[in-house]
Amino acid sequence: MPVLDNIIARVPLLLRYLLAALVLCGLILAMILPRAAILRNGQEVRLEIAPVDPRDLFRGDYVVLAYRIGTVDVPSSLTTSFKRGQQVFVTLRPDANNKAKAVAISAERPAVTGNDIVIAGFVTASSTCRLNEAGTRDCKLGTNAVGVRYGLESYFVPQGEGKKIELMARARLEVVAAVAPSGQAAIKRLLIDGVPVYDEPLY
């Protein structure tokens, strides 16, 4: 557009650079601030890690996580069917050890009472094997379970920290996540044997 080109041409080069920098900073803040708000104000929930092959758990400083709440049992009385990629809401309830268990799943955000927390996720498998007491999938228990991802399955730790955590992987690894009222969640800290080994900064 000639008119727009003429207007841009009249703007000093330095001012153009400053405007571009401001736009870039605005985009970065738009990505960082919502996550920082979740970490600062979200309800904390303690999540157990599902057993995985240790070789797949750590890749340098990039941590791959699978959660017990990543498999949610669907009651036979529930007639709703879930599809891969569908957004769902999982109700979490702390057990006697304050570790969250998935107790319900629905397509709409449910009302909660007591200590229940609702976390949002997306269906990865509409039909999968249920988990046994050890936290591994056991098809003998039936396939009336749904696989769910929460956006918490990958985590970057500071350079050099991944190997340090990997050496302690034989101990129990847990995650403390912060969950916003919307259901969005972010990893707040990593625990090994119940002891924090890394806290996520707000920014």
Side-chain angles (χ1 to χ4, degrees), residues 8 16 27 44-46 76-77 84 126 128 136 195 200:
I8 293 174
R16 277 186 260 173
L27 292 174
E44 288 193 6
V45 58
R46 192 167 169 176
S76 56
S77 58
R84 186 181 179 89
S126 58
T128 188
T136 56
V195 178
E200 179 71 6

Side-chain angles (χ1 to χ4, degrees), residues 60-149:
D61 296 311
Y62 181 78
V63 186
V64 179
L65 302 169
Y67 299 90
R68 288 201 180 195
I69 65 166
T71 300
V72 185
D73 289 347
V74 178
S76 56
S77 58
L78 187 65
T79 57
T80 304
S81 59
F82 300 100
K83 297 179 181 180
R84 186 181 179 89
Q86 176 184 356
Q87 184 178 40
V88 291
F89 296 88
V90 176
T91 301
L92 305 180
R93 183 172 298 158
D95 62 12
N97 297 313
N98 203 34
K99 296 175 183 178
K101 306 294 182 185
V103 296
I105 183 171
S106 61
E108 304 293 334
R109 193 184 191 288
V112 293
T113 57
N115 295 325
D116 289 358
I117 295 175
V118 174
I119 185 172
F122 291 90
V123 174
T124 59
S126 58
S127 179
T128 188
C129 300
R130 299 175 64 187
L131 296 182
N132 57 26
E133 289 297 322
T136 56
R137 288 192 178 92
D138 187 347
C139 291
K140 293 180 181 178
L141 298 176
T143 56
N144 54 329
V146 173
V148 183
R149 288 180 63 89

